[in-house]
Amino acid sequence: ISSTLLLSIMSLGKNFEFFNRLLFDNLPYLNKFRAPSSMLTIIALLVGTMAFYTLSKMIKSAYDQDKIKRALMISFGILASICVFFWIIGPGFFDMSKGENNEQTKVLVEIREAMMTGDALRGLIILLIGSGLIYFFNAKKIGSNIFLAAFGVVMLFDIYTINNRYLSHSDFMTNKASQSIFKPRNVDNQILLDNSLGYRVFDLTIDTYNSSIPSYYHRTIGGYHPAKLRRYQDLIDHCIDSEKTMLGGLLKTYTGNPDDSNFVRGMSQLHVLNMLNTKYFILGEQGKELAFPNNNAYGTSWFVKDVKWVNSADEEIDALKSTDLKTTVVIHNEWKQSAGVQGDGLGSIKLVEYMPNSLKYNSESATEQIAVLSEIWYGPNLGWTASIDGKSTDLFRVNYALRGVRVPAGKHEILLNFKPTSYFLGKTLASIFSILLIGIMGVCVWMYSKKDKPIE
């Protein structure tokens, strides 16, 4: 009861802010929850566990019949009253319009009222059936097998009907239908002829940041995820959207000559899109898309000869708009020790192997260099590690959202791997406790099998 009450209050979030703000600021890891309402899943687990425990005790006749009857009447009365309240009075008691008053809101209000009354009535019916089964079993009117079988049917009905709201038969599709969704467009096939590694595609024919379909074939600028990395979202808000507008202006005056000096100069001003190695833009109308190559994309990695040091995040992201990022790198002063000395930008570095969790580069230079890698910064200490010829080295953040690495003179192999400690630690702990759990279950079965056996 105390756990359920506490979790119910915590699930209210800002609706019970006095208490929850105290927990949010002081209880470790609570601020990692995406939604306070997720606490309700733990309540479901607690209530379900105690319900099965009680049924087990009833089957073993561990409770007095009169006490079961009294407890049943009390709990039925309370729960039935709640169901009846929401079924009959609920729609008029709560504001379903959220203060709005238009035709669309009226439809939403009707849907919300139907959901409330329908679920309340459904809950009341399940409550009547479940209470009836307990009553007749407690009165010795039905046997334990029928009792458990009937309860199983009710539980399956409850689980199936609720789950069917989220995942129904209509949500499944044939392989043919599934393949049609991801059927490549002519423009996709055209771009896929490029076998080079690491380039990105900016599809302007779709809702760029709310569609993940192009990502099925390409590494894209945009795509969809409900929780984007904050630094990448900052790039979108402060740089990419404005460069998208700039690109639209350039294309309106484009004469068809990719070597036109004004056009080339304009494309070189797309500093952030170029540093993200945006090699292709997809333009046009849906069904008539075309691939527009960007010859100004910087590639997967490059050496720089100049460093612009900044003191704040605002300075860092603002500098991207006015800096030639092909020759100059913007680095926050916090990374001064890792970045080391300034290079001369001469030499070569190339991505030779690409996997989502592993990247390999080959480099050659006469002097020590700062290399910019066109990969989004994720860190520090969140899993990405770097090594040069097998020796560990530091990654540091450059250009607000990319990775940088200091490369010594000579020929080298640079390897980046994603090995998050939290994942492997969690995997190890999960394996250990799974083995312990199986062992405990085995011991329980063994002890139960020896129970009440005569000693020879």
PDB file of all heavy atoms in Angstrom, residues 225-247:
ATOM      1  N   HIS A 225      14.127  10.866 -34.720  1.00  0.00           N
ATOM      2  CA  HIS A 225      14.296  10.200 -33.441  1.00  0.00           C
ATOM      3  C   HIS A 225      13.593  11.054 -32.397  1.00  0.00           C
ATOM      4  O   HIS A 225      13.698  12.285 -32.435  1.00  0.00           O
ATOM      5  CB  HIS A 225      15.779  10.036 -33.085  1.00  0.00           C
ATOM      6  CG  HIS A 225      16.008   9.061 -31.968  1.00  0.00           C
ATOM      7  ND1 HIS A 225      15.790   9.396 -30.643  1.00  0.00           N
ATOM      8  CD2 HIS A 225      16.393   7.765 -31.968  1.00  0.00           C
ATOM      9  CE1 HIS A 225      16.040   8.345 -29.885  1.00  0.00           C
ATOM     10  NE2 HIS A 225      16.408   7.342 -30.660  1.00  0.00           N
ATOM     11  N   PRO A 226      12.835  10.439 -31.486  1.00  0.00           N
ATOM     12  CA  PRO A 226      12.097  11.251 -30.503  1.00  0.00           C
ATOM     13  C   PRO A 226      12.993  11.988 -29.528  1.00  0.00           C
ATOM     14  O   PRO A 226      12.537  12.915 -28.855  1.00  0.00           O
ATOM     15  CB  PRO A 226      11.234  10.214 -29.776  1.00  0.00           C
ATOM     16  CG  PRO A 226      11.936   8.909 -29.975  1.00  0.00           C
ATOM     17  CD  PRO A 226      12.564   8.999 -31.327  1.00  0.00           C
ATOM     18  N   ALA A 227      14.250  11.595 -29.439  1.00  0.00           N
ATOM     19  CA  ALA A 227      15.168  12.265 -28.500  1.00  0.00           C
ATOM     20  C   ALA A 227      16.507  12.474 -29.185  1.00  0.00           C
ATOM     21  O   ALA A 227      17.437  11.692 -29.018  1.00  0.00           O
ATOM     22  CB  ALA A 227      15.331  11.437 -27.224  1.00  0.00           C
ATOM     23  N   LYS A 228      16.606  13.546 -29.975  1.00  0.00           N
ATOM     24  CA  LYS A 228      17.859  13.829 -30.665  1.00  0.00           C
ATOM     25  C   LYS A 228      18.926  14.277 -29.667  1.00  0.00           C
ATOM     26  O   LYS A 228      18.623  14.827 -28.610  1.00  0.00           O
ATOM     27  CB  LYS A 228      17.640  14.936 -31.701  1.00  0.00           C
ATOM     28  CG  LYS A 228      16.796  14.529 -32.906  1.00  0.00           C
ATOM     29  CD  LYS A 228      16.749  15.671 -33.913  1.00  0.00           C
ATOM     30  CE  LYS A 228      15.980  15.262 -35.169  1.00  0.00           C
ATOM     31  NZ  LYS A 228      14.549  15.116 -34.911  1.00  0.00           N
ATOM     32  N   LEU A 229      20.174  14.058 -30.042  1.00  0.00           N
ATOM     33  CA  LEU A 229      21.279  14.586 -29.252  1.00  0.00           C
ATOM     34  C   LEU A 229      21.150  16.103 -29.199  1.00  0.00           C
ATOM     35  O   LEU A 229      20.887  16.759 -30.213  1.00  0.00           O
ATOM     36  CB  LEU A 229      22.615  14.202 -29.880  1.00  0.00           C
ATOM     37  CG  LEU A 229      22.991  12.711 -29.829  1.00  0.00           C
ATOM     38  CD1 LEU A 229      24.287  12.486 -30.596  1.00  0.00           C
ATOM     39  CD2 LEU A 229      23.137  12.231 -28.407  1.00  0.00           C
ATOM     40  N   ARG A 230      21.355  16.674 -28.025  1.00  0.00           N
ATOM     41  CA  ARG A 230      21.123  18.115 -27.843  1.00  0.00           C
ATOM     42  C   ARG A 230      22.026  18.940 -28.749  1.00  0.00           C
ATOM     43  O   ARG A 230      21.593  19.937 -29.348  1.00  0.00           O
ATOM     44  CB  ARG A 230      21.350  18.485 -26.384  1.00  0.00           C
ATOM     45  CG  ARG A 230      21.036  19.942 -26.079  1.00  0.00           C
ATOM     46  CD  ARG A 230      21.273  20.250 -24.613  1.00  0.00           C
ATOM     47  NE  ARG A 230      20.397  19.450 -23.766  1.00  0.00           N
ATOM     48  CZ  ARG A 230      20.486  19.423 -22.429  1.00  0.00           C
ATOM     49  NH1 ARG A 230      21.407  20.140 -21.821  1.00  0.00           N
ATOM     50  NH2 ARG A 230      19.664  18.673 -21.716  1.00  0.00           N
ATOM     51  N   ARG A 231      23.283  18.549 -28.866  1.00  0.00           N
ATOM     52  CA  ARG A 231      24.201  19.332 -29.691  1.00  0.00           C
ATOM     53  C   ARG A 231      23.805  19.287 -31.166  1.00  0.00           C
ATOM     54  O   ARG A 231      23.954  20.271 -31.890  1.00  0.00           O
ATOM     55  CB  ARG A 231      25.650  18.843 -29.513  1.00  0.00           C
ATOM     56  CG  ARG A 231      26.247  19.294 -28.197  1.00  0.00           C
ATOM     57  CD  ARG A 231      27.734  19.016 -28.078  1.00  0.00           C
ATOM     58  NE  ARG A 231      28.220  19.598 -26.838  1.00  0.00           N
ATOM     59  CZ  ARG A 231      28.649  20.845 -26.723  1.00  0.00           C
ATOM     60  NH1 ARG A 231      28.699  21.622 -27.786  1.00  0.00           N
ATOM     61  NH2 ARG A 231      29.048  21.315 -25.559  1.00  0.00           N
ATOM     62  N   TYR A 232      23.294  18.152 -31.614  1.00  0.00           N
ATOM     63  CA  TYR A 232      22.868  18.086 -33.010  1.00  0.00           C
ATOM     64  C   TYR A 232      21.609  18.921 -33.224  1.00  0.00           C
ATOM     65  O   TYR A 232      21.449  19.579 -34.259  1.00  0.00           O
ATOM     66  CB  TYR A 232      22.630  16.642 -33.446  1.00  0.00           C
ATOM     67  CG  TYR A 232      22.505  16.522 -34.950  1.00  0.00           C
ATOM     68  CD1 TYR A 232      23.633  16.574 -35.755  1.00  0.00           C
ATOM     69  CD2 TYR A 232      21.263  16.404 -35.557  1.00  0.00           C
ATOM     70  CE1 TYR A 232      23.535  16.502 -37.132  1.00  0.00           C
ATOM     71  CE2 TYR A 232      21.156  16.329 -36.936  1.00  0.00           C
ATOM     72  CZ  TYR A 232      22.288  16.381 -37.716  1.00  0.00           C
ATOM     73  OH  TYR A 232      22.193  16.324 -39.082  1.00  0.00           O
ATOM     74  N   GLN A 233      20.712  18.916 -32.242  1.00  0.00           N
ATOM     75  CA  GLN A 233      19.531  19.762 -32.338  1.00  0.00           C
ATOM     76  C   GLN A 233      19.926  21.231 -32.376  1.00  0.00           C
ATOM     77  O   GLN A 233      19.316  22.037 -33.091  1.00  0.00           O
ATOM     78  CB  GLN A 233      18.592  19.504 -31.154  1.00  0.00           C
ATOM     79  CG  GLN A 233      17.259  20.240 -31.248  1.00  0.00           C
ATOM     80  CD  GLN A 233      16.433  19.803 -32.436  1.00  0.00           C
ATOM     81  OE1 GLN A 233      16.208  18.615 -32.647  1.00  0.00           O
ATOM     82  NE2 GLN A 233      15.997  20.773 -33.240  1.00  0.00           N
ATOM     83  N   ASP A 234      20.973  21.582 -31.619  1.00  0.00           N
ATOM     84  CA  ASP A 234      21.483  22.957 -31.670  1.00  0.00           C
ATOM     85  C   ASP A 234      21.983  23.295 -33.070  1.00  0.00           C
ATOM     86  O   ASP A 234      21.763  24.416 -33.572  1.00  0.00           O
ATOM     87  CB  ASP A 234      22.627  23.132 -30.659  1.00  0.00           C
ATOM     88  CG  ASP A 234      22.132  23.167 -29.223  1.00  0.00           C
ATOM     89  OD1 ASP A 234      20.916  23.372 -29.023  1.00  0.00           O
ATOM     90  OD2 ASP A 234      22.964  22.980 -28.307  1.00  0.00           O
ATOM     91  N   LEU A 235      22.677  22.353 -33.716  1.00  0.00           N
ATOM     92  CA  LEU A 235      23.133  22.582 -35.090  1.00  0.00           C
ATOM     93  C   LEU A 235      21.958  22.834 -36.021  1.00  0.00           C
ATOM     94  O   LEU A 235      22.008  23.714 -36.891  1.00  0.00           O
ATOM     95  CB  LEU A 235      23.935  21.383 -35.600  1.00  0.00           C
ATOM     96  CG  LEU A 235      25.372  21.197 -35.124  1.00  0.00           C
ATOM     97  CD1 LEU A 235      26.011  20.035 -35.871  1.00  0.00           C
ATOM     98  CD2 LEU A 235      26.194  22.458 -35.313  1.00  0.00           C
ATOM     99  N   ILE A 236      20.891  22.049 -35.841  1.00  0.00           N
ATOM    100  CA  ILE A 236      19.692  22.227 -36.677  1.00  0.00           C
ATOM    101  C   ILE A 236      19.121  23.625 -36.472  1.00  0.00           C
ATOM    102  O   ILE A 236      18.847  24.360 -37.433  1.00  0.00           O
ATOM    103  CB  ILE A 236      18.644  21.151 -36.345  1.00  0.00           C
ATOM    104  CG1 ILE A 236      19.132  19.770 -36.781  1.00  0.00           C
ATOM    105  CG2 ILE A 236      17.314  21.478 -37.016  1.00  0.00           C
ATOM    106  CD1 ILE A 236      18.235  18.635 -36.346  1.00  0.00           C
ATOM    107  N   ASP A 237      18.921  24.002 -35.207  1.00  0.00           N
ATOM    108  CA  ASP A 237      18.248  25.260 -34.885  1.00  0.00           C
ATOM    109  C   ASP A 237      19.079  26.478 -35.264  1.00  0.00           C
ATOM    110  O   ASP A 237      18.533  27.480 -35.748  1.00  0.00           O
ATOM    111  CB  ASP A 237      17.919  25.313 -33.390  1.00  0.00           C
ATOM    112  CG  ASP A 237      16.922  24.247 -32.976  1.00  0.00           C
ATOM    113  OD1 ASP A 237      16.165  23.787 -33.848  1.00  0.00           O
ATOM    114  OD2 ASP A 237      16.900  23.877 -31.782  1.00  0.00           O
ATOM    115  N   HIS A 238      20.410  26.421 -35.051  1.00  0.00           N
ATOM    116  CA  HIS A 238      21.246  27.605 -35.224  1.00  0.00           C
ATOM    117  C   HIS A 238      21.955  27.666 -36.583  1.00  0.00           C
ATOM    118  O   HIS A 238      22.356  28.756 -36.992  1.00  0.00           O
ATOM    119  CB  HIS A 238      22.300  27.664 -34.106  1.00  0.00           C
ATOM    120  CG  HIS A 238      21.729  27.911 -32.751  1.00  0.00           C
ATOM    121  ND1 HIS A 238      21.499  29.168 -32.251  1.00  0.00           N
ATOM    122  CD2 HIS A 238      21.316  27.054 -31.796  1.00  0.00           C
ATOM    123  CE1 HIS A 238      20.980  29.081 -31.040  1.00  0.00           C
ATOM    124  NE2 HIS A 238      20.860  27.802 -30.735  1.00  0.00           N
ATOM    125  N   CYS A 239      22.120  26.523 -37.245  1.00  0.00           N
ATOM    126  CA  CYS A 239      22.940  26.525 -38.462  1.00  0.00           C
ATOM    127  C   CYS A 239      22.274  25.860 -39.663  1.00  0.00           C
ATOM    128  O   CYS A 239      22.155  26.462 -40.736  1.00  0.00           O
ATOM    129  CB  CYS A 239      24.281  25.839 -38.181  1.00  0.00           C
ATOM    130  SG  CYS A 239      25.234  26.590 -36.849  1.00  0.00           S
ATOM    131  N   ILE A 240      21.827  24.618 -39.498  1.00  0.00           N
ATOM    132  CA  ILE A 240      21.366  23.843 -40.649  1.00  0.00           C
ATOM    133  C   ILE A 240      20.117  24.458 -41.278  1.00  0.00           C
ATOM    134  O   ILE A 240      20.013  24.561 -42.505  1.00  0.00           O
ATOM    135  CB  ILE A 240      21.123  22.375 -40.257  1.00  0.00           C
ATOM    136  CG1 ILE A 240      22.440  21.719 -39.844  1.00  0.00           C
ATOM    137  CG2 ILE A 240      20.497  21.601 -41.417  1.00  0.00           C
ATOM    138  CD1 ILE A 240      22.305  20.277 -39.375  1.00  0.00           C
ATOM    139  N   ASP A 241      19.163  24.887 -40.456  1.00  0.00           N
ATOM    140  CA  ASP A 241      17.937  25.481 -41.009  1.00  0.00           C
ATOM    141  C   ASP A 241      18.245  26.742 -41.805  1.00  0.00           C
ATOM    142  O   ASP A 241      17.672  26.971 -42.883  1.00  0.00           O
ATOM    143  CB  ASP A 241      16.947  25.788 -39.888  1.00  0.00           C
ATOM    144  CG  ASP A 241      16.165  24.554 -39.456  1.00  0.00           C
ATOM    145  OD1 ASP A 241      16.173  23.554 -40.211  1.00  0.00           O
ATOM    146  OD2 ASP A 241      15.549  24.573 -38.380  1.00  0.00           O
ATOM    147  N   SER A 242      19.153  27.576 -41.285  1.00  0.00           N
ATOM    148  CA  SER A 242      19.493  28.801 -42.018  1.00  0.00           C
ATOM    149  C   SER A 242      20.261  28.473 -43.300  1.00  0.00           C
ATOM    150  O   SER A 242      20.063  29.129 -44.340  1.00  0.00           O
ATOM    151  CB  SER A 242      20.319  29.737 -41.124  1.00  0.00           C
ATOM    152  OG  SER A 242      21.510  29.109 -40.690  1.00  0.00           O
ATOM    153  N   GLU A 243      21.112  27.453 -43.269  1.00  0.00           N
ATOM    154  CA  GLU A 243      21.828  27.055 -44.475  1.00  0.00           C
ATOM    155  C   GLU A 243      20.881  26.407 -45.490  1.00  0.00           C
ATOM    156  O   GLU A 243      21.095  26.521 -46.699  1.00  0.00           O
ATOM    157  CB  GLU A 243      22.977  26.112 -44.116  1.00  0.00           C
ATOM    158  CG  GLU A 243      24.099  26.801 -43.348  1.00  0.00           C
ATOM    159  CD  GLU A 243      25.329  25.924 -43.178  1.00  0.00           C
ATOM    160  OE1 GLU A 243      25.321  24.790 -43.696  1.00  0.00           O
ATOM    161  OE2 GLU A 243      26.298  26.379 -42.536  1.00  0.00           O
ATOM    162  N   LYS A 244      19.845  25.758 -44.988  1.00  0.00           N
ATOM    163  CA  LYS A 244      18.815  25.206 -45.881  1.00  0.00           C
ATOM    164  C   LYS A 244      18.132  26.330 -46.646  1.00  0.00           C
ATOM    165  O   LYS A 244      17.891  26.227 -47.855  1.00  0.00           O
ATOM    166  CB  LYS A 244      17.802  24.419 -45.045  1.00  0.00           C
ATOM    167  CG  LYS A 244      16.654  23.824 -45.827  1.00  0.00           C
ATOM    168  CD  LYS A 244      15.716  23.095 -44.889  1.00  0.00           C
ATOM    169  CE  LYS A 244      14.483  22.561 -45.626  1.00  0.00           C
ATOM    170  NZ  LYS A 244      13.550  21.882 -44.686  1.00  0.00           N
ATOM    171  N   THR A 245      17.832  27.411 -45.941  1.00  0.00           N
ATOM    172  CA  THR A 245      17.228  28.579 -46.593  1.00  0.00           C
ATOM    173  C   THR A 245      18.196  29.200 -47.596  1.00  0.00           C
ATOM    174  O   THR A 245      17.816  29.580 -48.710  1.00  0.00           O
ATOM    175  CB  THR A 245      16.835  29.624 -45.535  1.00  0.00           C
ATOM    176  OG1 THR A 245      15.928  29.037 -44.592  1.00  0.00           O
ATOM    177  CG2 THR A 245      16.163  30.827 -46.183  1.00  0.00           C
ATOM    178  N   MET A 246      19.471  29.287 -47.220  1.00  0.00           N
ATOM    179  CA  MET A 246      20.502  29.823 -48.106  1.00  0.00           C
ATOM    180  C   MET A 246      20.615  28.975 -49.369  1.00  0.00           C
ATOM    181  O   MET A 246      20.745  29.500 -50.480  1.00  0.00           O
ATOM    182  CB  MET A 246      21.849  29.862 -47.371  1.00  0.00           C
ATOM    183  CG  MET A 246      22.943  30.605 -48.117  1.00  0.00           C
ATOM    184  SD  MET A 246      24.574  30.416 -47.299  1.00  0.00           S
ATOM    185  CE  MET A 246      24.181  30.983 -45.647  1.00  0.00           C
ATOM    186  N   LEU A 247      20.551  27.659 -49.191  1.00  0.00           N
ATOM    187  CA  LEU A 247      20.625  26.746 -50.345  1.00  0.00           C
ATOM    188  C   LEU A 247      19.455  26.985 -51.293  1.00  0.00           C
ATOM    189  O   LEU A 247      19.631  26.994 -52.513  1.00  0.00           O
ATOM    190  CB  LEU A 247      20.625  25.298 -49.852  1.00  0.00           C
ATOM    191  CG  LEU A 247      20.566  24.215 -50.927  1.00  0.00           C
ATOM    192  CD1 LEU A 247      21.824  24.242 -51.790  1.00  0.00           C
ATOM    193  CD2 LEU A 247      20.399  22.832 -50.288  1.00  0.00           C
TER     194      LEU A 247
END
